[in-house]
Amino acid sequence: MKDWWQDNFPQGRQNLVIHDSQGYPIHIAYGEKGQGKPLILLHGLGSWSYNWRHSIEPLSQHFRVICCDFKGFGFSEKPVSRREENGHQIIELKRIIQALCDEPPIIVAESIGALISLGLAGKNPDLIGRLVVINAPIFTETLPHWAMGLLAQTPIEIIHAVDDLRLAYWFAPLVREVMGTERRKVIYNPSLLTEEDIYWITYPFIEIPGTLVKVAEDLQIAAKEIENLRTNQPSMLSNIQKNLKNIECPTLVLWGDQDSWFPASHGEKLHQHLSNSRLQILPNCNHDALTSSANVVNAAILEFLKDTN
């Protein structure tokens, strides 16, 4: 069978062991390519490192590119016997950086990965050298997709049962069709998403037990966070917003002008909250900027990093 990691990284898929937010050792899947300053690529919710398929090669010509799967996603460990804690991703990203980098890395992150990066940069400004965030759900007031809402409202015991029965595996063609249809809705030009893309995007859900459970857990945390923010209760989201003033590293905010999940006005608002930032609106680009506008995104990242070197 084709090995995506082996095809894209000289050493293929590597394993890093860190302690998670609860102190348990967990395995993080990652790949490396290139030399120079470390540049970490972080995916969004329900996704994995494959989303950076169009960026790895061009960025690795200038930097030591590190692609990581967050705990519970992609090929990283999925400890389904333990419920996740609020804010665990920020703690775990900090430990990934400390384990893999001997200097503050460049972080390039999309969607929830961008939110986690902003959260870490606000709490530990010295840990990140430069930052690129793409379509970050920093000011969201609702889960943006019906399937997210469904998973967030479904008792986790039911999700466990579905996962234990491997229903996604047995109904793989249907899963690919549904997820492919929904993914095309966040791409400005849907024809850019190939059948091979759909195969790899859905691969963890179909082939790797525990993926659905961990995605559901993080969605339930996200739904609670949004509700707390809406009702002025203490929340991680409000803390991240308050800590934006602490972020001093050069930051590039990229936002799709047609993002149907988080409007471009959120990008403008984020830019205003970051003292050392620049904003670039991506034309003809929906939420999945890495598929919609890969060449424009890569060029913007490289230009920003050259200017702020």
Side-chain angles (χ1 to χ4, degrees):
M1 187 189 77
K2 184 177 179 180
D3 186 326
W4 180 81
W5 294 92
Q6 197 65 55
D7 289 348
N8 286 274
F9 303 100
Q11 297 182 59
R13 175 164 53 94
Q14 300 182 69
N15 251 336
L16 169 69
V17 178
I18 64 167
H19 285 87
D20 69 8
S21 64
Q22 300 177 54
Y24 292 96
I26 56 162
H27 293 262
I28 298 295
Y30 74 100
E32 281 195 33
K33 187 171 188 177
Q35 297 180 335
K37 290 185 178 296
L39 184 156
I40 299 178
L41 299 173
L42 299 173
H43 60 81
L45 186 64
S47 189
W48 60 287
S49 293
Y50 181 79
N51 244 36
W52 295 102
R53 61 197 178 278
H54 300 307
S55 300
I56 295 164
E57 177 59 32
L59 296 181
S60 69
Q61 295 178 23
H62 306 273
F63 302 96
R64 173 193 167 206
V65 169
I66 305 168
C67 246
C68 291
D69 288 352
F70 283 116
K71 181 184 71 175
F73 294 85
F75 288 72
S76 287
E77 188 174 346
K78 299 159 182 61
V80 294
S81 62
R82 301 192 302 274
R83 293 296 301 269
E84 294 302 342
E85 293 183 335
N86 193 5
H88 70 94
Q89 303 104 323
I90 294 175
I91 295 169
E92 289 150 10
L93 175 57
K94 177 180 179 180
R95 291 172 183 171
I96 289 170
I97 291 173
Q98 291 171 331
L100 291 178
C101 304
D102 55 7
E103 62 179 295
I106 301 158
I107 298 289
V108 181
E110 61 157 345
S111 199
I112 194 71
L115 178 66
I116 294 164
S117 302
L118 290 166
L120 180 61
K123 290 180 68 175
N124 299 97
D126 57 319
L127 272 182
I128 297 176
R130 284 172 285 175
L131 181 60
V132 179
V133 293
I134 307 170
N135 297 337
I138 179 74
F139 300 113
T140 186
E141 297 177 351
T142 183
L143 291 175
H145 191 271
W146 65 266
M148 293 181 180
L150 180 63
L151 285 175
Q153 294 169 18
T154 302
I156 202 68
E157 294 78 14
I158 293 177
I159 305 295
H160 270 283
V162 170
D163 195 66
D164 290 343
L165 291 170
R166 300 295 306 278
L167 292 184
Y169 176 82
W170 295 113
F171 293 95
L174 178 61
V175 172
R176 291 192 184 103
E177 182 179 349
V178 171
M179 291 188 70
T181 298
E182 295 304 316
R183 191 61 170 262
R184 287 189 175 98
K185 292 178 180 178
V186 291
I187 298 173
Y188 185 78
N189 179 0
S191 66
L192 293 172
L193 196 71
T194 67
E195 290 303 313
E196 182 179 16
D197 290 336
I198 294 170
Y199 173 83
W200 284 114
I201 288 167
T202 59
Y203 185 93
F205 290 93
I206 292 170
E207 301 288 347
I208 306 178
T211 300
L212 188 62
V213 172
K214 301 316 283 185
V215 170
E217 286 184 6
D218 276 340
L219 281 170
Q220 291 180 7
I221 290 173
K224 182 63 175 175
E225 279 292 309
I226 292 169
E227 176 63 16
N228 286 345
L229 185 66
R230 189 182 66 82
T231 57
N232 294 316
Q233 300 296 312
S235 71
M236 183 185 73
L237 263 177
S238 62
N239 285 336
I240 293 175
Q241 292 174 7
K242 291 173 185 175
N243 287 337
L244 290 174
K245 64 181 183 298
N246 299 332
I247 300 176
E248 299 176 350
C249 66
T251 302
L252 173 63
V253 178
L254 295 176
W255 219 282
D257 67 340
Q258 303 296 317
D259 190 336
S260 55
W261 284 9
F262 313 118
S265 60
H266 288 192
E268 296 166 0
K269 186 176 179 180
L270 176 60
H271 168 53
Q272 292 168 4
H273 278 75
L274 298 170
S275 61
N276 191 11
S277 69
R278 66 176 69 171
L279 170 67
Q280 182 170 336
I281 301 297
L282 305 171
N284 301 326
C285 179
N286 206 314
H287 184 68
D288 185 355
L290 303 180
T291 301
S292 294
S293 306
N295 292 337
V296 176
V297 167
N298 294 335
I301 293 169
L302 290 171
E303 180 181 3
F304 167 72
L305 295 178
K306 180 181 178 182
D307 289 348
T308 55
N309 189 16

